[in-house]
């Protein structure tokens, strides 16, 4: 149980285009999901907290107009990287908060974004 | 703000060797502490956790003890296997229940 999927697993796009990444909780409902960014050989950095039916809460330094987050249902959150640039190339990981244990999160496998 | 520091890798050991991966933290409150493991091509999985001082988390032969006096949560295993090869992340959960991660330690076990 407690499986989180991400789609796509990897994507290549050109500068200036937008890319959408989906995060789904497959066998449970997630009122809260999180989006992380991971640079090579570095830690996961929390970008934003996504709550179903309300606006996402962004961490300091994260541009909310560039990284659009939508959590329209209890099983789906999306991250859209708008007007992507090469510096946005990274590994993006989502997680969903456990419905039973508030401090536990279940992680997706990640999406590798490369902007050319 | 809260932070986690873990030993840099990569770490390479032979099968059946003893493993220690050091982790220390800085936090203003009383965080919960975690070790996550990421196997190749998979998402992070919770390995073990401890929610208060002196608690010991354990799973799959791994152990870590929440040491408030040294602000540490070192990961240990007495005899590693090839299947333990992965990236290990130490993390804490603050009052807002957000996770703060260390930089990760890549572990390779050779047969």
């Amino acid at each position: 149980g407690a499986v989180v999927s991400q789609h796509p697993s990897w994507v290549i796009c050109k500068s200036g285009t937008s890319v959408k990444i989906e995060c789904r909780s497959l066998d449970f409902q997630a009122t809260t999901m999180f989006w992380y960014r991971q640079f090579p050989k570095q830690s996961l950095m929390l970008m934003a907290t996504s709550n179903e039916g309300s606006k996402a809460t962004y961490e300091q330094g994260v541009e909310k107009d560039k990284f659009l987050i939508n959590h329209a249902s209890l099983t789906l959150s999306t991250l859209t990287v708008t007007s992507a640039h090469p510096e946005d190339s990274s590994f993006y990981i989502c997680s969903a908060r456990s419905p039973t244990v508030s401090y536990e999160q279940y992680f997706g496998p990640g999406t590798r974004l490369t902007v050319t | 703000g809260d932070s986690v520091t873990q030993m840099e890798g990569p770490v390479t050991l032979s099968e059946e060797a003893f493993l220690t991966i050091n982790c220390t933290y800085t936090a203003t409150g009383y965080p919960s502490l975690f070790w996550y493991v990421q196997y190749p091509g998979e998402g992070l999985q919770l390995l073990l956790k401890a929610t208060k001082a002196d608690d010991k988390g354990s799973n799959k032969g791994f152990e870590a003890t929440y040491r408030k006096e040294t602000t540490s949560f070192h990961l240990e295993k007495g005899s590693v296997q090839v299947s333990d090869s992965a990236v290990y992340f130490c993390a804490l959960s603050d009052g807002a229940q957000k996770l703060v991660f260390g930089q990760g330690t890549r572990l390779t076990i050779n047969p």
Side-chain angles (χ1 to χ4, degrees), chain B residues 5 10 20-21 26 38 43 54 68 71 79 82-83 85 90 96 99 108:
Chain B
T5 302
T20 299
I21 301 178
T26 302
Q38 186 176 31
D54 300 325
K68 184 180 175 184
T71 62
S79 177
V82 172
S83 58
S85 298
C90 185
L99 286 172
T108 301

Side-chain angles (χ1 to χ4, degrees), chain A residues 38-79:
Chain A
Q38 185 179 26
F39 293 98
K41 298 184 179 180
Q42 293 190 29
S43 182
L44 284 75
M45 289 178 50
L46 180 64
M47 299 174 66
T49 302
S50 167
N51 292 297
E52 187 266 338
S54 63
K55 291 184 178 180
T57 302
Y58 291 81
E59 295 299 301
Q60 193 171 9
V62 177
E63 300 176 60
K64 62 181 181 181
D65 294 331
K66 180 167 189 61
F67 298 100
L68 300 179
I69 292 173
N70 183 278
H71 193 159
S73 79
L74 287 171
T75 60
L76 173 65
S77 177
T78 60
L79 168 68

Side-chain angles (χ1 to χ4, degrees), chain A residues 34 36 38 42-44 46 49 59 91 97 102-105 107-109, chain B residues 34 36 38 42-44 46 49 51 89 93 96-99 101-103:
Chain A
F34 303 88
Y36 297 85
Q38 185 179 26
Q42 293 190 29
S43 182
L44 284 75
L46 180 64
T49 302
E59 295 299 301
F91 196 56
R97 177 176 285 164
S102 61
Y103 54 74
E104 289 198 23
Q105 298 178 23
F107 285 81
Chain B
F34 307 85
Y36 281 85
Q38 186 176 31
E42 298 184 18
L44 274 74
L46 180 62
K49 65 180 184 289
T51 57
F89 292 91
S93 177
Q97 295 166 348
K98 295 187 288 188
L99 286 172
F101 287 90
Q103 65 267 43

Side-chain angles (χ1 to χ4, degrees), chain B residues 51-67:
Chain B
T51 57
K52 62 182 186 297
D54 300 325
D55 269 3
K56 176 186 282 188
S58 61
N59 186 26
K60 299 181 180 180
F62 291 89
E63 292 183 341
T65 301
Y66 190 144
R67 300 288 189 198

Side-chain angles (χ1 to χ4, degrees), chain B residues 4-9 11 18-25 34-35 63-65 67 70-77 88-91 101-107:
Chain B
V4 175
T5 302
Q6 61 183 101
M7 67 185 288
E8 291 190 22
V11 174
F18 184 87
L19 168 71
T20 299
I21 301 178
N22 290 335
C23 171
T24 57
Y25 67 91
F34 307 85
W35 277 99
E63 292 183 341
T65 301
R67 300 288 189 198
T70 55
T71 62
S72 65
F73 193 55
H74 305 320
L75 182 69
E76 297 182 336
K77 187 174 184 180
Y88 292 81
F89 292 91
C90 185
F101 287 90
Q103 65 267 43
T105 301
R106 182 174 298 278
L107 173 66

